[in-house]
Amino acid sequence: MGKTIRQLSEELQLSKQAINQRISSIKGFRSKHTHKVKNHLEIDEQGVEMLANFDKQKRQDQQVD
């Protein structure tokens, strides 16, 4: 079972806007890792993992460049 943006923002201690910015910055994230449940967006477990490790991945990408 996935998590909503609100649940994820509380868990990661980030704002909902920050979660949305991360989602938007990962190419193809919405189509692969999210689905609509009633009137909210739910992120699957793999997507939650990607967002939780976003900063770590970003630092690794910058070190490679």
Side-chain angles (χ1 to χ4, degrees), residues 33-45:
H33 301 290
T34 63
H35 61 279
K36 203 76 158 153
V37 177
K38 295 187 183 179
N39 63 345
H40 61 269
L41 197 64
E42 193 167 285
I43 303 165
D44 66 15
E45 290 299 321

Side-chain angles (χ1 to χ4, degrees), residues 1-62:
M1 184 174 137
K3 296 185 179 189
T4 64
I5 291 175
R6 180 183 212 157
Q7 291 169 328
L8 194 55
S9 71
E10 290 172 359
E11 183 179 305
L12 299 177
Q13 297 179 344
L14 295 168
S15 67
K16 292 186 289 185
Q17 293 85 356
I19 299 294
N20 277 316
Q21 287 176 342
R22 289 179 177 200
I23 289 171
S24 297
S25 69
I26 300 172
K27 191 171 190 159
F29 185 89
R30 283 190 189 269
S31 62
K32 293 178 185 174
H33 301 290
T34 63
H35 61 279
K36 203 76 158 153
V37 177
K38 295 187 183 179
N39 63 345
H40 61 269
L41 197 64
E42 193 167 285
I43 303 165
D44 66 15
E45 290 299 321
Q46 187 179 5
V48 168
E49 198 67 32
M50 287 175 71
L51 294 173
N53 294 323
F54 183 81
D55 288 333
K56 188 186 304 182
Q57 184 64 40
K58 192 173 179 182
R59 282 193 298 272
Q60 289 175 353
D61 290 347
Q62 287 177 348

